[in-house]
Each structure stands twice: as C-alpha cells, then as structure tokens.
Amino acid sequence: MQEYSSSASSTLPQLPKAPTGIEGLDEITEGGLPKGRPTLVCGSAGCGKTLMGIEFLVRGITEFDEPGVLMAFEETAEELTANVASLGFDLKDLQARRMLRVDHVHVDRSEIEETGEYDLEGLFIRLGYAIDSIGAKRVVLDTIESLFSGFPNESVLRSEIRRLFRWLKDKGVTTIITAERGDGTLTRQGLEEYVSDCVILLDNRVIDQITTRRLRVVKYRGSTHGTNEYPYLITGEGISVLPVTSLRLEHQVSNDVVSSGVPALDEMFGRRGFFVGSSVLVTGTAGTAKTTLAASFAQQICQEGKRCLFFAFEESPQQLMRNMASVSIGLENHVAEGRLRIEASRPTLNGLEQHLVTLHRLVKEFRPDAVVIDPITNLITVGNLSEVRSMLTRLIDFLKVSGITAYFTALVNGGMGRAEMTEEGVSSLVDTWISVRDLEGVGERNRGLSILKSRGMAHSNQVREFIVTDGGIELLDVVLGPTGIVTGASRLTQQLEEHAQALAAQQEAERRDRELARRRRMLEANIANLRTEFESVEEELRQISTHEQTRQEALQTGKQRIVAANPPAVKTPPTGQPGN
C-alpha cells in the first residue's frame, strides 16, 4: 500500500511552490508557499510577521533571483531598512540594483471617502506599477488592517478584501499578507483566512517566565504540510523554524567505530567502541563520574585529530579543565589547538529553542565530529518534560543526519526503583545506553558500570566496578563471592581469601611434590639395593657354574687319560684248534 501511494503521488501533478529560503519553513510546507497565490501570515504583536515578509523577499532575491515589492502601511522605507539591517539585510542595496521596491502607503481615514461604488483601484494601480517596474515575482503587504482601517462599512470592507486577493492571484505574484490576530479569530476581520490559499499562524507566548514562539500552518490549499506547532526563533540571521532535520528516518549510517576513551570499557562492546554517528547516553546518580566519562570521550576524539564540541551546563570551561586535569584528562591543550570547543552556560540563559539553534549554529561553524552535552537533565529547568523530549529528539535527529557522534549525560533519581530511567525519557531514542551507579557495601560506596543496550553490536552484561584514579577511569576485574559480585572492601577481603587459598593450594602442591620426590628417591634406593643384591647372587651363581663346569671338564680329562694308559687286551685264538 505504501509503495502504491508513493508511486501514485509521484505521478500526480504537484502544486507549484515558491521556496521561501527561510530555514525550516520550506520543509514544513514541503517546498514553500503557493506560487502565484496569496499567503496570510497572522499573529499578535512581536511575533515577527513583518520580518518573515521581508526575509521572504530578501531570500527570494538573493537565492532565487526573484525581484520583490514591499508595500508597507505602517512603517516608512527608512524605518524598515534600519530595522532589518542588524540581520544583514541591506534593503538599500537591493533597491539600488532594482531587485526590490519598497513603497510606503499612508492610509488616513480623512483621505478615504466612501462615496458611491468606492474601490481600491488607485491602490491596485500603484501596486501594479511597482510590480511591473522591476518585474517582481514576490509581493509583501504589511499590514492589511492598516489598509482597511478607514472603512466603517463592513460589507464594503469584505468586498474589497476579496477583490484584493483576487487581483493578486490574477497578477500571478507570490504574496505574503500580514495581519493582526483578532479576538477569537485569526485576523481582525475574520475573513482573510478564508480567502487565502495558505494561512500561517505565528504565536508569541510566555510559559514559566520564558518566551517561546510557535508557528503553525493552519491551512494550505492543494498541498500536504506539517500540521503541528513548530518552534521558531528570530536570530542574527533571520527566522529559523525548528526542527526540520529529520521528519523521516532516512539518515545514513556508518560501520566505523570510535573509542569511548576508556580501553577497558571498549572491551565490553563487541566492536570495541561506539558506531560513528550514533548517540550515546550515560545515566547515573550524582557523583558517579558521568562528566569524567564524557571528558574521556572528548579527549579521545581530539587525540585522533578530530573535533569535539562540548556543552557544559554545570561547570565553567576553566573549572572543567582543572577538574579533568586531576585525573590526567588534558582538555586545555586540545582547546588551545582548536580541536575542542567548550560552550558553558546555565540552561536558563535561553529557552529550549535557542539552545537548539545555538547548537545548529555552532555545528555549522565548528564542524565537529562529536558533540557532548553534560548534562541534558538541566534542560528541564527551561521546559516541561514533553518539550525537553521533543527538543532532544530533534537534536538527536539533527546530529544523526549530520553524521556526528552524540554523547549525553543525564542525572537519574536513584530512589523508588527508577535508577535506570531518565526524566527526559530519551533512553529509548539513543543507540547506546550506559548506566553508572553507586554500589553500596559495608560502610562504603563504590561505583559500578553496566551497558543496558547497544544497538547493532554485542555487549557485556556484567556490572563492572570502576575507580577514578590519577590516571583516569580504571575498570576493575570482576570478582565473584559466595553471593555474587563483590566490590570495595569486600572485594579486597575476597581477593585476600582467594590469595590465601591459592597460597595454601600452592603449598599443598609443593608438599605433595616433595613427598613424591622423597618416595621416588626411596624407591630408587630400594631398586639399587635389589639390583646390587641381584648382581651378587648372579655373580655367585656364575662362579658356582664355572666351578662345576671346570670340575666336569677335569673329570672328563681324567677319564680320557685312564683310558689312554690302559688300552684293552687283544684276544687270539688257541693254538691247534682247526679253523672253520
């Protein structure tokens, strides 16, 4: 269904639009204001209606080469030129180049006579001449109440309003008409919003003594648009509507990894660090070395020759650098070399939108590879939880789209079973979540660290005890006791017991080795004695055998001698006997 809708929308004709060039407004309106049609910008005093109209003209000239006409009914050309000069808008130069025409029309009731079929034909001729003289594509009328303030007859007024809007459409110029907000209506007359093709409402409100401005596109004929309220600011560069960075989750990702600055912590991740461009959140109670972890990460970024932007909401740059130097984290040199920039201020200095705009501006100026905010919890002092969460969501999206690694710290309440929940509720938005906590033992408090999640990579599930030493953060090896992981003094006791057991086992092994050697020597001695005894018996038997053999030989020799000395007698037959 989604593929069908996407393909269908790409083939359908789209409403022609004129980009405003105002940061964020074109994204909300999905391309700009309706081209060749009037747009109504309404709001109360001080919300920036006139400024939006002038910036629409200036951006059109400088960025899109579209000449414009500004017809003002309240302020003179000189006053308008002076008012916007601080924003870098040089109206005199644009007029000299015949790209802009500023015309001040003074409307006085005494000059308007409502006789017969009165109309604004004279105004149309004047405006038409201004448009044709420079070939204007854009027009701003500021403000419409001043134009019609002299008409007591409401029916004539409504008729002329419709006629004015129709005339502008027929002229084919993209127009912004500013109007003051009425009582219960968007405008004083309550008619302009109905005949306009696009209506933008500006609002300036004060909440908890903090001024915030909101913009809402009330209607936009023939086009889809953002319907929510969007914060906007008036900065030194004009109007900035926030956020506009990632209305859809379409940012690119990287497989590269950046170190956390703590080698032992890197080993707890399957990829030995964080993904570049990901978001990291470190939460913990007070005093659990969150800032030290953040500073270690910032130092690692700078040591790799990259840039890091560090926002500190609790410490001045000098205090932060001094404190981190005590644990061998040298930030001062990186600041001096331009790789690290520390921005320190109280969150209450500005509203949430101003903080976000400041970060946008600094990112554009400094072009960092990583951004550290310590801590985001303090932003709650300038907004409610939903506003802070919305601001942080926009911030995370902006940094992701920019490919910048984000590192946040947050203070959590250790009581009521919420030690792992952030008040801002952004833990579900980040890619990596590290929890640091107090591990209370017998008469002491120790620090523990664990990885609650890390998207896209395997990670350790152990709770590692760590200490802050003169050389930085050091993660200790896991020691298991009878009831689980032990820390602090119990850890030392367990290690001593394990050492004693290992020593006793070693001594027992050595004793067994000595007993075995002794038995081996005894056995070898017995074997030697038996071998000697055997050799003696063997020698004795050999001698007896030799003697017996000699005796037998002697007896045989004696018999041979006897036989030789006594040969047998030869028998002869008797004489006189006849033979046979």
Side-chain angles (χ1 to χ4, degrees):
M1 183 64 182
Q2 184 176 2
E3 294 180 358
Y4 171 78
S5 299
S6 177
S7 60
S9 61
S10 62
T11 58
L12 293 175
Q14 301 295 318
L15 181 70
K17 296 186 178 182
T20 64
I22 297 175
E23 183 179 5
L25 183 58
D26 290 339
E27 285 79 359
I28 294 174
T29 56
E30 298 187 6
L33 304 182
K35 190 172 184 178
R37 300 185 183 187
T39 295
L40 180 67
V41 177
C42 52
S44 56
C47 60
K49 301 184 298 295
T50 302
L51 177 59
M52 177 173 286
I54 294 177
E55 186 169 356
F56 169 72
L57 293 177
V58 174
R59 301 293 182 190
I61 295 171
T62 58
E63 299 180 13
F64 308 106
D65 195 28
E66 293 186 357
V69 171
L70 172 60
M71 183 164 284
F73 303 103
E74 290 184 343
E75 298 176 279
T76 65
E78 291 75 14
E79 291 173 341
L80 290 172
T81 301
N83 291 343
V84 299
S86 60
L87 303 177
F89 300 158
D90 191 350
L91 300 188
K92 288 185 177 180
D93 177 68
L94 297 178
Q95 292 181 77
R97 291 161 47 194
R98 296 186 59 81
M99 296 295 290
L100 175 68
R101 181 155 184 156
V102 181
D103 193 0
H104 173 245
V105 178
H106 177 68
V107 179
D108 192 341
R109 184 170 181 175
S110 62
E111 300 176 2
I112 300 176
E113 294 297 336
E114 208 177 331
T115 59
E117 296 181 356
Y118 175 79
D119 57 30
L120 296 177
E121 192 64 33
L123 179 65
F124 295 158
I125 294 174
R126 186 170 179 174
L127 181 58
Y129 172 76
I131 293 172
D132 296 336
S133 64
I134 60 173
K137 303 294 183 182
R138 302 184 178 207
V139 173
V140 171
L141 302 181
D142 181 50
T143 65
I144 197 171
E145 282 77 19
S146 298
L147 179 61
F148 295 108
S149 61
F151 293 106
N153 192 320
E154 184 176 350
S155 61
V156 174
L157 172 61
R158 289 178 174 269
S159 175
E160 290 304 301
I161 289 177
R162 291 190 180 94
R163 186 164 175 258
L164 173 62
F165 277 73
R166 173 50 58 186
W167 185 88
L168 292 170
K169 282 187 178 182
D170 294 340
K171 198 67 177 176
V173 290
T174 306
T175 308
I176 284 183
I177 300 174
T178 65
E180 298 176 2
R181 191 166 185 177
D183 186 11
T185 58
L186 295 179
T187 60
R188 292 281 183 89
Q189 310 303 327
L191 177 65
E192 298 93 318
E193 58 264 35
Y194 295 101
V195 297
S196 300
D197 289 85
C198 178
V199 177
I200 297 177
L201 175 63
L202 304 182
D203 183 30
N204 188 16
R205 67 189 70 166
V206 179
I207 302 176
D208 295 333
Q209 301 180 357
I210 297 176
T211 301
T212 59
R213 292 184 171 95
R214 296 288 188 272
L215 177 148
R216 180 166 64 94
V217 181
V218 179
K219 80 172 186 178
Y220 198 137
R221 289 173 179 166
S223 173
T224 58
H225 57 87
T227 58
N228 298 327
E229 281 192 334
Y230 298 93
Y232 71 96
L233 291 173
I234 299 176
T235 67
E237 299 177 354
I239 292 178
S240 177
V241 183
L242 301 173
V244 297
T245 53
S246 182
L247 300 179
R248 298 180 179 89
L249 297 175
E250 297 176 349
H251 55 268
Q252 299 297 319
V253 297
S254 172
N255 289 322
D256 297 333
V257 173
V258 61
S259 171
S260 66
V262 181
L265 177 58
D266 292 341
E267 295 177 359
M268 297 179 68
F269 292 93
R271 296 291 298 273
R272 302 295 189 269
F274 314 130
F275 282 121
V276 172
S278 64
S279 53
V280 181
L281 175 66
V282 178
T283 61
T285 54
T288 50
K290 299 183 297 298
T291 302
T292 306
L293 285 168
S296 299
F297 172 73
Q299 177 180 244
Q300 179 66 31
I301 293 294
C302 296
Q303 288 176 346
E304 294 178 359
K306 301 177 181 178
R307 292 186 173 189
C308 181
L309 183 60
F310 198 113
F311 286 88
F313 289 146
E314 293 183 337
E315 299 175 281
S316 67
Q318 292 74 19
Q319 182 182 4
L320 179 64
M321 290 186 289
R322 182 203 65 186
N323 294 346
M324 293 302 103
S326 65
V327 291
S328 300
I329 300 177
L331 302 181
E332 188 171 359
N333 293 336
H334 299 305
V335 172
E337 294 171 358
R339 289 191 295 269
L340 176 63
R341 183 168 179 176
I342 301 176
E343 293 290 328
S345 65
R346 291 294 182 186
T348 52
L349 177 65
N350 298 307
L352 293 175
E353 294 79 14
Q354 184 61 51
H355 282 296
L356 190 56
V357 168
T358 300
L359 188 139
H360 278 233
R361 175 177 56 82
L362 292 176
V363 166
K364 292 179 180 178
E365 293 177 1
F366 191 60
R367 299 187 180 277
D369 298 280
V371 170
V372 177
I373 300 181
D374 175 51
I376 59 175
T377 316
N378 288 20
L379 295 173
I380 296 178
T381 59
V382 292
N384 56 45
L385 293 181
S386 62
E387 292 174 338
V388 172
R389 179 181 173 86
S390 176
M391 179 266 192
L392 292 175
T393 302
R394 298 162 185 162
L395 173 59
I396 292 173
D397 285 345
F398 169 69
L399 296 177
K400 280 182 178 291
V401 170
S402 303
I404 298 173
T405 306
Y407 197 104
F408 308 123
T409 68
L411 180 69
V412 296
N413 182 8
M416 301 176 65
R418 294 178 54 86
E420 293 182 351
M421 298 300 294
T422 59
E423 294 185 22
E424 308 82 14
V426 298
S427 53
S428 61
L429 301 176
V430 297
D431 300 304
T432 300
W433 184 7
I434 300 173
S435 173
V436 287
R437 68 189 73 174
D438 287 322
L439 303 175
E440 297 188 10
V442 180
E444 62 181 5
R445 296 170 68 91
N446 303 295
R447 297 184 178 101
L449 180 149
S450 61
I451 302 173
L452 299 184
K453 77 171 182 178
S454 184
R455 292 171 178 162
M457 68 173 68
H459 54 274
S460 173
N461 62 350
Q462 291 181 331
V463 178
R464 296 284 298 274
E465 182 184 3
F466 70 95
I467 57 177
V468 181
T469 68
D470 293 339
I473 291 180
E474 178 183 349
L475 268 67
L476 305 179
D477 295 332
V478 176
V479 176
L480 295 176
T483 60
I485 297 177
V486 293
T487 61
S490 300
R491 175 193 182 91
L492 296 177
T493 302
Q494 182 69 22
Q495 289 178 334
L496 290 175
E497 291 179 357
E498 292 178 354
H499 179 71
Q501 293 175 359
L503 181 60
Q506 181 180 358
Q507 292 175 348
E508 178 65 19
E510 292 175 352
R511 186 191 65 78
R512 289 195 298 266
D513 291 342
R514 290 193 300 271
E515 179 66 18
L516 180 61
R518 185 182 66 82
R519 288 177 176 272
R520 181 182 294 108
R521 289 193 300 271
M522 291 176 59
L523 181 58
E524 289 176 351
N526 291 336
I527 292 174
N529 292 334
L530 291 175
R531 184 177 290 110
T532 302
E533 183 178 353
F534 174 76
E535 291 174 353
S536 299
V537 173
E538 183 183 27
E539 180 64 24
E540 183 179 356
L541 292 176
R542 186 182 296 111
Q543 291 178 358
I544 292 173
S545 178
T546 303
H547 291 162
E548 181 63 24
Q549 183 178 359
T550 303
R551 188 178 67 81
Q552 292 294 334
E553 291 176 352
L555 290 176
Q556 185 66 24
T557 303
K559 288 180 179 180
Q560 291 176 355
R561 289 178 180 175
I562 294 173
V563 170
N566 300 292
V570 179
K571 294 183 179 181
T572 60
T575 307
Q577 292 183 354
N580 296 329

